[in-house]
Amino acid sequence: MEQVSVINTITVPSGMEGIAESVRNEYVDYFSEQEGFVSSTFFKSINREDDGAVKYINTVVWESYEHFEKIVNVGFENAEGSNEDGLKVLGRGFPEPIKVSPGQYIIVSQRNA
């Protein structure tokens, strides 16, 4: 099976950074207890947007797309994005006006030192 990386861009208005970081940490705590979880990395931009917002990138790596689907499950099928455990997935657990752009990716190329 091929690993899948879930990569979310999160745009956070100035002053809401602590909230965004806390919500992300709650999700990773949950994900890390699930079968197929491999790792998660959280990045924060060193630059701000013109309106003062800051962008984050959150990555979660799963052993396979099937493992990812098992966690998200019915979250794909309802407007709230709630999975079977009642957790809002697919970036819907962040309060407004935080914006999340989720996506799922596979590695095409990688180079290490």
Side-chain angles (χ1 to χ4, degrees):
M1 282 191 250
E2 188 169 34
Q3 288 186 340
V4 65
S5 296
V6 178
I7 303 174
N8 295 330
T9 302
I10 307 166
T11 304
V12 180
S14 181
M16 295 188 73
E17 296 91 344
I19 294 169
E21 292 170 14
S22 178
V23 169
R24 180 267 178 185
N25 290 338
E26 289 175 25
Y27 275 84
V28 172
D29 288 345
Y30 169 79
F31 292 148
S32 67
E33 296 175 0
Q34 307 306 311
E35 181 182 349
F37 174 86
V38 175
S39 67
S40 181
T41 305
F42 199 37
F43 300 89
K44 181 178 181 180
S45 175
I46 59 173
N47 303 303
R48 292 206 174 251
E49 301 292 302
D50 291 340
D51 63 0
V54 65
K55 286 196 175 178
Y56 290 83
I57 302 290
N58 186 55
T59 65
V60 179
V61 179
W62 295 96
E63 287 180 21
S64 69
Y65 190 76
E66 290 75 23
H67 286 98
F68 164 72
E69 280 187 312
K70 184 177 178 183
I71 302 309
V72 174
N73 52 58
V74 296
F76 281 120
E77 301 167 4
N78 63 73
E80 296 81 32
S82 296
N83 72 1
E84 291 175 352
D85 289 333
L87 188 72
K88 289 185 178 184
V89 293
L90 304 170
R92 295 190 181 121
F94 287 84
E96 288 287 335
I98 296 172
K99 302 271 190 256
V100 180
S101 300
Q104 300 85 46
Y105 302 86
I106 58 171
I107 294 173
V108 175
S109 178
Q110 182 176 3
R111 182 176 297 193
N112 295 314

